Amino acid sequence: MRKIYHRIIQISGNVITIEADNVANGELAEVRSERGISLAQVIRLQGKRVSLQVFAGSRGIATDSEVRFLGRPMRLSGSEALLGRIFTGNGSPRDNGAALSDNMIDIGGPSVNPANRIIPRNMIRTGLPMIDVFNTLVESQKLPIFSVAGEPYNELLARIAMQAEVDIIVLGGMGLKYDDYLFFRNTLDAHGALSRAVMFVHTASDPIVECLLVPDLALAAAEYFATEHNKRVLVLLSDMTNFCDSLKEIAITMEQIPSNRGYPGDLYSQLAARYEKAVDFENAGSITILAVTTMPGDDVTHPVPDNTGYITEGQFYLVNGRIEPFGSLSRLKQQVNDSTRADHRSVMDTMIRLYAEFKETLEKQSMGFRMSEWDRKLLKYGALFETRMMDLSVNIPLEEALDLGWKTLAECFEPEDTGVNTQTLQEFWPKK
Amino acid sequence: MSETKPTGKVTGINGNMVSVVFSQRVIQNEVAYVLTGDNERLKSELIRVRGHEADLQVFENTSGVKVGDPVEFSGELLSVELGPGLLTQVYDGLQNPLPELAKQAGYFLKRGLYVYPLDRERKWEFTPSAEVGQILSAGHSLGSVPEGIFKHQIMLPFAWNGEWKLTWIAEAGEYNIDKVVAKASQGGQEREVRMVQTWPVKIPISAYLEKLLPAEPLVTQTRLIDTFFPVAKGGTFCTPGPFGAGKTVLQHSLSQRSEVDIVIVAACGERAGEVVEILREFPHLDDPRTGRKLIDRTIIICNTSSMPVAAREASIYTSVTLAEYYRQMGLHVLLLADSTSRWAQALREVSGRLEEIPGEEAFPAYLESLVAGFYERAGLVRLPDGSQGSITICGAVSPAGGNFEEPVTQSTLKVVGSFLALSRDRANARRYPAIHPLESWSKYKSIVPEEQLRKARKMLREGDEVNQMMKVVGEEGTPISDFVVYLKSEFIDAVYLQQNTFDEVDSSCDAERQRLVFGKLLTVLEKNFSFNDKDEARSYFQRLRQNFIDWNYAPWQSDEFIKCEKRIDQALQKAQG
Ligand SMILES: Nc1ncnc2c1ncn2[C@@H]1O[C@H](COP(=O)(O)OP(=O)(O)OP(=O)(O)O)[C@@H](O)[C@H]1O
Ligand SMILES: [Mg+2]
């Protein structure tokens, strides 16, 4: 029987400190107070002093509240019984099902040996030209949607998930509005996908630091299915900014020197430890991560989107209900877009370049300058581009989108206006 | 465990920092092992001593470590193994071969598992070159073994001070790296030389006669670099830029196409997927310069972002030490570090846990001197045998928020010889490589004549001014002469600065081709065109651009190449002058 402690010597933020022996770094404990039982995790050891972060928050904890160490780190049942289940942010059932105890595996495990990875090779089709043509999503990619409150990011996430050909969907909700949680559940249900999904949901009304475990739980489940059952797993994480804010809170409590706007200096490493779990294996399955990162103040240089952008393999920039061509990027697109169709890259590069020129023209126009013949071509083009390519209601296969791209170019420009090399033009420019 | 090994006990744990009480002598930067209850040995480095307490940075995750766990001190500084067989390897930051770890541990990395960096069994064909009785000092070659296309020199260990007299040398034959191949004596003391030696990574190898000024261009085959912002063999350059601006794509291109002997890729705290591309592709990609595969001249040091952060800090030093080793053989080495900002962040994490007084953005106050110390390890050197070797360092920098006014970019700028600023705007406009032609600079010599370059630079600057002005006064308010200047500057950008990394032909533009194309470009720039109106001017340049781009995509001196060049000449003749 493990020893029980009753003397809490410090309570600060959501971190409590007790004096204890033989405690391991990262070990879990249960803290029992009048408010109930909360999980806590050891985050620092100093001689006898043991600091624990309390996931349900420290509110209501008394100096004589009971602390019982569990002698193990955070674990998750690695079993197929996870499918169809919904858990809270600390891994206990949120549905009415039983708690799982088979094959308990540590969460937040070590990273995949890079030598075991393979180069991603499968495109994930979404039916959205802004993704399929311009920012192709690839199996095993890690990619966030950068957005601000009010944008339909969860809808976009769900739509891609429903359209993508994957075996298993794992949802990790952090600070999810209850409505959004129901939306995800109902969408999965409506598509008959609930039975191949696992959900770890921390809602906006749960204690904030409790969302810290969500990515690790979700990714441990994903790793289990990818390596033990060779499944293609899609992990949805929304909203990672809440996760970062929880990290910030703990760091400040622990009096760490913040690096930037209060966020800890290891924010990059913390995020990378999660996102890097996206992987494609040679002889096993794969993990693809689609996340939501809301940008405080719509500022992409804010530490959360900034660090995220440096880690992920591109991002979809969702503004005014559209995926913006600038700022959006799929870094894995070149792994697959050479084998989709011979003109894929030309269409992609040319259309974006001309759209950039259109934006400049728009600026000139707004300043009241006379529009040249070239400007007028661009104006026509820009408008068509926005309705045919950018609108989220468009849902067409890649090939159709490419054809539509050429059609649009031919409606607005002469072949030599486009800067496409002659050979490609000869092959693909629509004949009059 | 031998009894003489000093030991200690863990007294505190804070992230990857462990405090230890010890009773015997310890050495700053020595390696120690934290022994966990599960019999794991977690490699660590001693980084601070205060009284009888030492702070160790652990190169592994510390979960499960307890106060009271024993610690074993090794008495040796953090070191790497140097010897034949380093090329083609893929190491983690502590020089563990990753493929071997994968064989032993499976999909995931396993903490506490360490493997010899070099193959102990493999036999190398040794040819002695020194003679018994010869007086030698550190770094002098005793013989060599073939490693790929290189003559891998077996040298008197760098750690041996003073002069040594060779007392015995092995005859030609096949030996493994642990075999004694020579003996040498100094003042009655005789020591043995093996084909493998160790060297502490944080100390530069300096067994050379002198450092020389880098003068010869290092041709990267990227036009924007070689012509406009050149790099020299033995020089240093950096590529700062916001995320997604193209730092990694640029470095990959450099790793494949640079005209150097050996490339060391240090993937430091970045994405694992990016290393996998190199790892999987290089064994199949031909190295046109040697007729072998690219991997045969490459070493990959890979401590990606989710691998332990202290090992990330070490990985930079591991990489540069391996570079120094090959430089000692008279080879030209290019070290590509992506990203030095992640290394600096690792330093910041350590410094924070040590509760040192922080500098700007919580980086340690000594960041600048560490950055300078790293780039100082580059250089062109004259070796004891009179030959020259070089290390060129390219460091990617990932500034927070893409803002160059931050400590890592600023400390790097102070010490490098060339600054390739990657720009968000250019990347958004898909103008790749997104090196900004007006913000970047280089102190090295271009492959084209200086006065020609000045003209092109001037045109770029003036074109930009016209463009700025046009935003205010509009196109109609701009005189046609100015407008043509603008078109010319855009022309330089489109046909020369921009280059398609993913096209087999366009991606590789050697010096000869650059000089030819640049010459033609100058003809265009210097020509006085007279156009009737702006639309005519614009469409003329658009067509000319088309011809030039086709030319860039045509294999060197192919029929197509010659045809394209003719077409350009004709278009130039036709234009009214
Ligand atoms: N020269 C290029 N040609 C075509 N596309 C490019 C080029 N350079 C970059 N890109 C595009 O931009 C993406 C991002 O480039 P890259 O990965 O090199 O950025 P980075 O600067 O290294 O970003 P980070 O700091 O996040 O690592 C690439 O995946 C590719 O799609
Ligand atoms: Mg990069």
Side-chain angles (χ1 to χ4, degrees):
Chain A
M1 192 58 205
R2 301 212 112 227
K3 229 175 130 184
I4 294 173
Y5 295 86
H6 277 286
R7 214 172 76 80
I8 295 173
I9 57 175
Q10 187 174 312
I11 306 174
S12 159
N14 292 314
V15 177
I16 61 169
T17 305
I18 62 165
E19 292 199 337
D21 288 321
N22 201 28
V23 173
N25 191 26
E27 185 173 342
L28 279 192
E30 278 178 0
V31 182
R32 198 178 289 258
S33 70
E34 275 157 29
R35 283 179 58 232
I37 302 177
S38 167
L39 278 182
Q41 186 175 26
V42 176
I43 54 173
R44 189 182 293 183
L45 291 161
Q46 241 172 325
K48 279 181 158 321
R49 289 169 66 93
V50 180
S51 302
L52 301 112
Q53 78 187 27
V54 184
F55 290 112
S58 62
R59 204 161 295 151
I61 291 181
T63 48
D64 62 351
S65 288
E66 178 182 309
V67 179
R68 194 167 68 89
F69 287 95
L70 303 182
R72 58 168 176 86
M74 186 67 191
R75 291 200 175 129
L76 170 82
S77 164
S79 68
E80 288 179 275
L82 286 169
L83 294 176
R85 297 294 309 271
I86 305 174
F87 302 91
T88 66
N90 65 33
S92 45
R94 184 181 272 281
D95 50 18
N96 293 322
L100 303 177
S101 57
D102 274 4
N103 184 32
M104 298 303 282
I105 49 176
D106 291 0
I107 68 163
S111 74
V112 169
N113 185 327
N116 284 326
R117 290 172 176 263
I118 55 167
I119 300 179
R121 55 196 165 173
N122 301 318
M123 169 180 175
I124 296 182
R125 287 172 174 261
T126 69
L128 290 160
M130 276 324 290
I131 298 180
D132 293 357
V133 177
F134 299 100
N135 300 292
T136 319
L137 184 63
V138 180
E139 188 179 334
S140 86
Q141 191 156 15
K142 41 185 181 288
L143 196 128
I145 298 168
F146 281 180
S147 197
V148 292
E151 293 285 346
Y153 44 79
N154 283 330
E155 284 78 358
L156 179 59
L157 208 59
R159 174 169 165 195
I160 297 171
M162 292 301 100
Q163 213 137 340
E165 285 179 1
V166 292
D167 301 320
I168 286 176
I169 297 170
V170 181
L171 172 73
M174 287 150 283
L176 215 52
K177 282 205 292 273
Y178 208 81
D179 294 357
D180 288 334
Y181 157 50
L182 293 180
F183 163 76
F184 274 114
R185 206 189 60 190
N186 296 343
T187 309
L188 285 166
D189 200 14
H191 287 78
L194 218 44
S195 60
R196 55 182 180 97
V198 192
M199 300 167 82
F200 299 91
V201 175
H202 166 271
T203 64
S205 60
D206 298 329
I208 171 137
V209 288
E210 210 167 58
C211 82
L212 279 175
L213 293 172
V214 169
D216 287 342
L217 285 166
L219 291 162
E223 279 182 343
Y224 164 75
F225 286 110
T227 58
E228 300 292 317
H229 296 279
N230 299 352
K231 298 292 188 198
R232 289 170 300 172
V233 187
L234 175 63
V235 179
L236 309 175
L237 298 173
S238 176
D239 166 352
M240 285 298 279
T241 305
N242 290 326
F243 170 77
C244 298
D245 286 343
S246 300
L247 286 175
K248 174 166 86 170
E249 192 185 306
I250 296 292
I252 289 174
T253 307
M254 296 304 288
E255 294 173 359
Q256 282 181 27
I257 300 146
S259 67
N260 200 343
R261 295 196 229 180
Y263 290 90
D266 66 354
L267 182 63
Y268 175 85
S269 302
Q270 294 284 1
L271 283 171
R274 275 82 191 183
Y275 280 117
E276 281 282 311
K277 299 240 172 219
V279 61
D280 201 350
F281 291 110
E282 180 94 69
N283 300 311
S286 68
I287 300 175
T288 307
I289 304 180
L290 276 180
V292 167
T293 298
T294 50
M295 300 182 287
D298 198 7
D299 176 10
V300 71
T301 69
H302 180 280
V304 174
D306 188 48
N307 278 286
T308 303
Y310 274 120
I311 292 163
T312 53
E313 288 152 338
Q315 63 280 334
F316 297 151
Y317 215 134
L318 185 66
V319 186
N320 296 327
R322 295 195 302 216
I323 298 176
E324 269 294 307
F326 309 120
S328 294
L329 175 72
S330 162
R331 297 168 188 244
L332 298 189
K333 59 179 184 276
Q334 57 262 29
Q335 308 293 3
V336 295
N337 65 11
D338 57 343
S339 53
T340 46
R341 218 169 83 172
D343 58 332
H344 188 160
R345 287 180 176 173
S346 302
V347 172
M348 169 182 90
D349 288 337
T350 311
M351 291 195 88
I352 292 290
R353 195 161 28 74
L354 290 167
Y355 187 72
E357 290 195 36
F358 156 73
K359 284 285 198 184
E360 279 177 24
T361 294
L362 216 51
E363 220 171 277
K364 284 192 251 170
Q365 192 187 35
S366 71
M367 295 182 67
F369 295 136
R370 195 173 60 86
M371 295 284 95
S372 67
E373 192 192 331
W374 176 245
D375 288 324
R376 278 190 295 276
K377 286 182 179 180
L378 286 170
L379 287 173
K380 178 175 175 195
Y381 167 76
L384 282 176
F385 184 84
E386 289 181 353
T387 49
R388 289 176 177 178
M389 297 284 158
M390 286 171 64
D391 201 302
L392 280 190
S393 67
V394 180
N395 191 349
I396 50 174
L398 167 74
E399 292 70 19
E400 217 174 286
L402 292 175
D403 293 342
L404 187 60
W406 285 116
K407 180 165 175 268
T408 308
L409 288 171
E411 279 172 27
C412 307
F413 302 104
E414 295 305 313
E416 68 267 18
D417 291 345
T418 60
V420 179
N421 70 55
T422 309
Q423 203 191 338
T424 310
L425 284 177
Q426 273 165 1
E427 199 173 333
F428 291 98
W429 192 260
K431 312 273 178 299
K432 292 257 163 72
Chain B
M1 202 189 307
S2 86
E3 287 162 46
T4 51
K5 282 241 171 88
T7 54
K9 275 201 184 326
V10 172
T11 58
I13 304 149
N14 176 13
N16 68 344
M17 193 69 55
V18 165
S19 313
V20 180
V21 282
F22 61 90
S23 50
Q24 285 139 296
R25 158 183 182 270
V26 296
I27 313 166
Q28 173 75 336
N29 295 114
E30 78 169 289
V31 171
Y33 293 89
V34 177
L35 311 180
T36 71
D38 294 333
N39 285 324
E40 293 159 307
R41 289 159 56 83
L42 308 185
K43 193 170 183 173
S44 324
E45 181 184 9
L46 191 158
I47 53 171
R48 183 168 69 185
V49 178
R50 284 189 302 190
H52 279 286
E53 198 164 80
D55 293 309
L56 311 181
Q57 61 169 341
V58 184
F59 296 120
E60 305 277 7
N61 182 329
T62 57
S63 65
V65 176
K66 293 179 172 177
V67 168
D69 279 349
V71 173
E72 188 185 299
F73 293 92
S74 73
E76 312 217 334
L77 303 188
L78 184 67
S79 301
V80 286
E81 276 198 346
L82 303 171
L86 289 168
L87 296 178
T88 75
Q89 294 268 14
V90 184
Y91 290 123
D92 72 3
L94 302 174
Q95 213 195 5
N96 293 292
L98 287 170
E100 189 53 38
L101 291 182
K103 256 188 231 157
Q104 297 190 19
Y107 292 134
F108 299 96
L109 294 166
K110 187 166 156 18
R111 76 172 182 185
L113 177 65
Y114 309 112
V115 180
Y116 280 126
L118 294 170
D119 190 338
R120 309 329 272 191
E121 310 299 324
R122 181 165 171 187
K123 294 256 199 302
W124 297 89
E125 202 185 315
F126 177 74
T127 309
S129 62
E131 274 162 29
V132 171
Q134 212 174 322
I135 302 297
L136 303 164
S137 53
H140 270 114
S141 176
L142 308 164
S144 66
V145 301
E147 181 182 21
I149 59 156
F150 304 106
K151 235 178 164 182
H152 186 117
Q153 304 294 337
I154 305 300
M155 295 170 273
L156 199 77
F158 307 127
W160 293 17
N161 292 326
E163 296 193 324
W164 294 76
K165 188 168 166 187
L166 198 67
T167 53
W168 177 81
I169 187 151
E171 46 194 71
E174 298 216 322
Y175 309 114
N176 61 24
I177 54 169
D178 287 319
K179 172 83 171 41
V180 176
V181 289
K183 293 177 187 168
S185 71
Q186 181 185 60
Q189 177 206 11
E190 186 171 77
R191 292 179 74 174
E192 296 174 337
V193 181
R194 295 177 170 73
M195 288 204 269
V196 61
Q197 58 172 310
T198 58
W199 184 260
V201 295
K202 292 188 178 165
I203 299 173
I205 297 173
S206 55
Y208 49 79
L209 299 179
E210 59 173 336
K211 258 192 163 171
L212 306 167
L213 203 61
E216 195 192 331
L218 187 160
V219 176
T220 66
Q221 311 214 47
T222 297
R223 292 186 288 262
L224 187 40
I225 299 180
D226 298 339
T227 304
F228 283 85
F229 306 106
V231 179
K233 283 185 182 152
T236 51
F237 61 121
C238 67
T239 58
F243 64 77
K247 300 180 288 294
T248 305
V249 171
L250 181 63
Q251 286 212 343
H252 280 197
S253 169
L254 295 175
S255 70
Q256 292 182 22
R257 305 186 180 100
S258 295
E259 296 179 3
V260 292
D261 298 317
I262 285 173
V263 174
I264 298 185
V265 175
C268 172
E270 292 284 309
R271 303 169 189 84
E274 294 168 345
V275 192
V276 176
E277 279 176 40
I278 301 184
L279 218 118
R280 300 267 166 176
E281 281 171 2
F282 274 31
H284 308 290
L285 290 177
D286 293 317
D287 179 1
R289 302 179 51 251
T290 60
R292 288 180 154 250
K293 298 295 174 194
L294 275 179
I295 196 75
D296 293 332
R297 62 150 192 183
T298 309
I299 307 174
I300 302 167
I301 310 293
C302 162
N303 218 98
T304 54
S305 56
S306 62
M307 290 161 77
V309 67
R312 187 199 297 171
E313 192 253 344
S315 71
I316 284 288
Y317 295 105
T318 298
S319 315
V320 74
T321 309
L322 299 188
E324 286 171 340
Y325 179 57
Y326 280 97
R327 174 173 67 181
Q328 284 300 141
M329 298 175 205
L331 297 173
H332 297 285
V333 186
L334 173 63
L335 169 58
L336 300 163
D338 186 8
S339 155
T340 58
S341 293
R342 305 302 163 218
W343 167 59
Q345 287 182 340
L347 296 168
R348 175 167 75 185
E349 285 186 34
V350 171
S351 166
R353 297 221 163 87
L354 290 176
E355 293 173 354
E356 294 173 337
I357 295 169
E360 220 180 314
E361 288 180 26
F363 283 106
Y366 46 80
L367 175 72
E368 207 172 289
S369 68
L370 289 185
V371 170
F374 167 61
Y375 283 101
E376 266 306 299
R377 291 175 76 166
L380 175 71
V381 301
R382 200 156 63 79
L383 297 162
D385 68 357
S387 69
Q388 295 187 358
S390 73
I391 299 174
T392 309
I393 298 183
C394 169
V397 184
S398 318
N403 180 0
F404 292 169
E405 299 299 319
E406 58 88 44
V408 186
T409 314
Q410 289 305 313
S411 4
T412 306
L413 276 183
K414 282 188 190 162
V415 291
V416 293
S418 168
F419 166 61
L420 308 177
L422 291 169
S423 129
R424 160 73 63 224
D425 289 345
R426 286 184 67 84
N428 279 348
R430 305 295 193 262
R431 295 179 177 218
Y432 293 122
I435 299 167
H436 200 291
L438 299 176
E439 283 169 21
S440 306
W441 50 258
S442 168
K443 295 179 188 162
Y444 304 116
K445 207 165 131 301
S446 168
I447 57 162
V448 304
E450 194 55 40
E451 90 267 17
Q452 289 187 8
L453 191 57
R454 253 200 304 274
K455 288 177 191 156
R457 285 222 168 105
K458 184 157 167 274
M459 191 64 75
L460 283 170
R461 228 180 5 255
E462 290 174 357
D464 182 62
E465 282 161 15
V466 175
N467 191 21
Q468 299 303 328
M469 196 181 63
M470 272 198 301
K471 285 200 179 124
V472 182
V473 301
E475 205 175 291
E476 72 265 36
T478 306
I480 189 153
S481 57
D482 281 359
F483 188 68
V484 169
V485 168
Y486 164 70
L487 288 177
K488 282 179 175 175
S489 74
E490 283 289 294
F491 183 73
I492 305 177
D493 197 342
V495 308
Y496 202 84
L497 305 188
Q498 292 173 48
Q499 191 172 354
N500 188 344
T501 327
F502 299 112
D503 181 84
E504 208 175 310
V505 177
D506 193 33
S507 60
S508 308
C509 194
D510 64 19
E512 188 181 3
R513 184 165 183 159
Q514 285 187 46
R515 288 192 195 103
L516 178 77
V517 177
F518 191 73
K520 192 77 70 190
L521 181 70
L522 269 188
T523 323
V524 177
L525 301 187
E526 290 182 328
K527 193 168 169 72
N528 287 315
F529 296 96
S530 61
F531 296 111
N532 294 319
D533 57 37
K534 289 174 191 150
D535 281 332
E536 188 197 346
R538 175 166 9 235
S539 74
Y540 176 81
F541 273 100
Q542 262 162 358
R543 252 188 307 268
L544 195 61
R545 179 180 71 186
Q546 190 71 58
N547 293 335
F548 247 86
I549 289 175
D550 288 345
W551 195 30
N552 284 339
Y553 280 76
W556 175 242
Q557 295 304 358
S558 62
D559 290 351
E560 179 63 19
F561 181 94
I562 294 161
K563 242 193 331 207
C564 290
E565 188 176 1
K566 273 210 191 95
R567 226 177 283 143
I568 293 166
D569 291 340
Q570 282 160 4
L572 282 174
Q573 272 163 17
K574 255 195 270 158
Q576 301 142 340

